[in-house]
């Protein structure tokens, strides 16, 4: 995610705490927060896709999604 978008999220959060947001700004904040969360999840998924667990016997096993 671009730094300018993160800065805008922070700016809207500060404004929300002090003077409040308009409906348009609330909608923008919601969209930016969703984009941030999606970006974070994608980054974490990428990291986990390239991770391995080393067992005590020395074998390595690729990290897999949990089956609920």
């Amino acid at each position: 995610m671009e730094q300018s978008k993160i800065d805008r999220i922070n700016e809207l959060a500060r404004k929300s705490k002090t003077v409040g947001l308009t409906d348009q700004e609330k909608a923008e904040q919601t969209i930016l927060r969703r984009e941030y969360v999606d970006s974070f999840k994608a980054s974490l998924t990428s990291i986990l896709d390239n991770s391995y667990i080393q067992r005590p016997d020395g074998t390595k096993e690729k990290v897999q999604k949990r089956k609920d």
Side-chain angles (χ1 to χ4, degrees):
M1 176 170 237
E2 301 164 11
Q3 186 61 40
S4 61
K5 289 184 179 182
I6 294 172
D7 293 341
R8 181 65 178 155
I9 291 171
N10 292 330
E11 180 184 327
L12 290 170
R14 279 190 296 275
K15 186 176 179 184
S16 174
K17 290 178 184 177
T18 56
V19 295
L21 298 175
T22 65
D23 290 337
Q24 184 179 7
E25 288 171 330
K26 286 179 185 178
E28 179 186 6
Q29 184 181 40
T30 302
I31 292 168
L32 288 171
R33 284 180 173 175
R34 174 54 32 207
E35 188 176 332
Y36 178 80
V37 168
D38 291 343
S39 172
F40 182 84
K41 284 180 180 180
S43 176
L44 183 59
T45 300
S46 175
I47 291 169
L48 291 174
D49 285 345
N50 295 307
S51 297
Y52 291 86
I53 296 173
Q54 185 168 356
R55 300 290 178 192
D57 64 358
T59 60
K60 292 183 181 179
E61 180 180 323
K62 190 159 181 70
V63 175
Q64 297 177 2
K65 281 190 174 184
R66 213 166 97 172
K67 298 172 186 155
D68 289 335

